[in-house]
Amino acid sequence: MAAPISAPETGRAQAEGRPGRFRVLLGAGIGNTLEWYDWSVYAIFAPFFAKQFFVSGNATSALLSTLAVFAVGFLMRPLGGFVFGWLADRRGRRFSLTTSMMTMAAGSLVIGLAPTHGTLGTGAALILLLARLLQGLAHGGEIAASYTYVAEIAPPSRRGLWATSMYVSVTAGIVLASLVGAAGSSLFGEQALRNWAWRLPFLLGGLLGLAGLYLRRTLRETDVYTESAGETAETEPGSRGLRHLVRELARNKVSLARILGMTAGVTVVYYVWAVGISGFAITTKGVPATAGLWATVAANLFFMVTLPLWGKLSDRFGRKPVFLVYGAAFLVLSFPLMAALNGSALRLGLLMALALFFLGAFVGIMPAYFAELFPTHVRASGVGVPYSIMVALFGGTAPYVLTWLHVHGLEWLFSCYLVVLVAVGIVTTMLTPETKGRPLT
């Protein structure tokens, strides 16, 4: 059994005027929730505002255009992982977390205030695109800094369990966005959401950024970073620092390759079954919008509750066995899950719950496993850059690819695509060493 955080340790933190680890974890998690709310609300509300920015003959074509902007936003994530990862490795985890939070909130405000096609023509779509590029930059930075922060702040014997707090907070952001959508649909009706009420969740996200700024600014820097990377943190930003970062990333190229291989499949699973499936089901399967959004809320709440189970199992049995449970499950379930989707909101919720349960075996402990593959002075960049590349290539495009294949009667091909990527992740995991209990140096 994992050892509890000792009283002397807590006492030292209090004596030094620093918040205890649990309070720090809570602050990091709430900030993460707000940032993921801003990011996810786009995908959830895309079916409602698509025709406000893209004029076309039918709702599916407009949705495809909106999802294309969703995918393009992901192209900025590798750059965000590099820039904010560099900042986190040079100026500290807290600085990077705070800056990415405010950048995300600014993008949300721009979308909430953006003119529609009827007002500005094609310029409206351009504003939408620029706002999503800004958010993509911020989101790549959030991954780099938050994964690293929670791994470094956690007790070594409970690092897997503490890592699950990241996707508990991530899912809380998605649930919050879904709740806002479900409540808006219930209060205003679908037509109002399509006409004007779609703006409200984006404006709310911008305002919540102020709360996120306060929470992130009160976080303390991690001891691992302060003790092991103090000299690097004092390096002046510039070409010398960037060259050093590139050299250090090159020295850890095997770990970079491992993250690339393990992430390709899981990011498709996540952005379909945790984020995009409700919009897909509402638009293409005829699921009632209000019921579909409530089903999404219920499934994600179930996901949040089950995540700590996987963290505890990884702390006891290791990271690799838990990752392989996810891989085996989706080799078996990818085809049945997609084939079973129909116009029933209840079935949508049950299928999401099943998919998310096994997805948790990967994403729940991912921050711990990935962070354990890198040394402190390059950890944020090492985690953020390859992960963001895979999310940009495979995750951001997943809702678009699924919808496009459905339109062309090739929905089954998407399941084939997913199985191949999951298989790549299984092979990569088997070739990756076990890191449970590895000290962060």
Side-chain angles (χ1 to χ4, degrees):
M1 179 180 296
I5 301 174
S6 65
E9 177 186 355
T10 304
R12 283 196 303 271
Q14 293 172 346
E16 295 170 8
R18 300 178 302 170
R21 277 178 169 171
F22 284 111
R23 181 181 168 190
V24 169
L25 188 62
L26 179 64
I30 292 176
N32 201 34
T33 295
L34 297 180
E35 184 148 350
W36 273 86
Y37 166 87
D38 283 336
W39 180 252
S40 302
V41 78
Y42 183 100
I44 291 172
F45 280 85
F48 300 106
F49 67 78
K51 296 188 75 172
Q52 296 286 344
F53 291 92
F54 301 96
V55 175
S56 71
N58 60 73
T60 301
S61 296
L63 178 61
L64 280 171
S65 298
T66 309
L67 291 177
V69 173
F70 180 76
V72 169
F74 280 76
L75 297 179
M76 293 295 287
R77 288 185 59 163
L79 179 60
F82 185 86
V83 172
F84 284 97
W86 177 64
L87 288 173
D89 287 331
R90 295 299 177 270
R91 299 198 55 183
R93 316 315 191 196
R94 182 178 63 180
F95 177 84
S96 184
L97 286 168
T98 302
T99 307
S100 67
M101 173 79 248
M102 296 311 298
T103 305
M104 178 67 75
S108 191
L109 272 177
V110 170
I111 296 175
L113 297 172
T116 63
H117 186 277
T119 303
L120 196 61
T122 56
L126 179 60
I127 291 175
L128 180 68
L129 174 62
L130 292 174
R132 283 304 287 181
L133 290 174
L134 185 66
Q135 289 188 316
L137 183 73
H139 208 54
E142 172 67 19
I143 293 297
S146 64
Y147 280 22
T148 302
Y149 187 87
V150 73
E152 291 180 351
I153 207 71
S157 61
R158 293 184 175 181
R159 193 175 293 135
L161 176 60
W162 281 51
T164 63
S165 70
M166 282 293 94
Y167 271 85
V168 169
S169 61
V170 163
T171 309
I174 297 172
V175 168
L176 179 59
S178 300
L179 279 172
V180 170
S185 182
S186 299
L187 290 173
F188 303 113
E190 291 185 37
Q191 193 56 49
L193 280 181
R194 298 181 192 279
N195 291 339
W196 61 271
W198 61 267
R199 295 183 181 275
L200 298 180
F202 293 101
L203 296 174
L204 176 63
L207 294 176
L208 288 175
L210 297 177
L213 174 63
Y214 170 77
L215 291 167
R216 288 281 167 89
R217 286 175 64 86
T218 60
L219 293 177
R220 67 177 175 88
E221 192 54 81
T222 70
D223 293 336
V224 171
Y225 175 82
T226 302
E227 295 171 4
S228 301
E231 292 183 4
T232 304
E234 294 173 1
T235 303
E236 290 294 327
S239 60
R240 182 171 179 267
L242 288 173
R243 285 197 299 269
H244 175 75
L245 173 61
V246 172
R247 286 197 303 269
E248 290 303 309
L249 288 174
R251 290 176 184 173
N252 290 273
K253 57 182 177 293
V254 174
S255 292
L256 295 174
R258 286 168 174 156
I259 293 181
L260 292 174
M262 287 190 285
T263 303
V266 75
T267 191
V268 175
V269 174
Y270 184 82
Y271 278 96
V272 168
W273 286 103
V275 178
I277 199 67
S278 61
F280 174 78
I282 290 169
T283 303
T284 68
K285 300 292 184 178
V287 172
T290 301
L293 289 169
W294 283 116
T296 300
V297 170
N300 277 283
L301 287 173
F302 173 77
F303 182 44
M304 291 173 64
V305 171
T306 58
L307 277 170
L309 166 69
W310 300 113
K312 290 182 178 180
L313 289 174
S314 79
D315 285 331
R316 183 171 182 180
F317 299 107
R319 316 300 187 214
K320 289 180 66 172
V322 176
F323 266 36
L324 292 173
V325 168
Y326 143 81
F330 278 96
L331 283 182
V332 174
L333 292 175
S334 292
F335 279 93
L337 284 170
M338 197 58 65
L341 195 64
N342 62 11
S344 167
L346 175 61
R347 180 175 292 195
L348 169 65
L350 292 174
L351 293 173
M352 285 187 67
L354 179 61
L356 293 178
F357 174 73
F358 286 107
L359 175 64
F362 191 108
V363 300
I365 64 171
M366 181 169 59
Y369 200 5
F370 286 2
E372 289 164 345
L373 294 173
F374 292 93
T376 298
H377 64 280
V378 75
R379 183 169 295 124
S381 304
V383 172
V385 172
Y387 181 80
S388 296
I389 289 173
M390 289 294 99
V391 172
L393 292 176
F394 297 101
T397 58
Y400 181 91
V401 171
L402 174 58
T403 304
W404 188 90
L405 288 173
H406 170 82
V407 170
H408 291 81
L410 298 171
E411 192 174 305
W412 60 272
L413 192 56
F414 184 84
S415 297
C416 295
Y417 167 67
L418 180 55
V419 165
V420 170
L421 294 179
V422 169
V424 170
I426 290 175
V427 173
T428 307
T429 301
M430 294 177 68
L431 296 174
T432 300
E434 179 58 64
T435 62
K436 179 179 75 78
R438 177 181 291 184
L440 300 181
T441 58

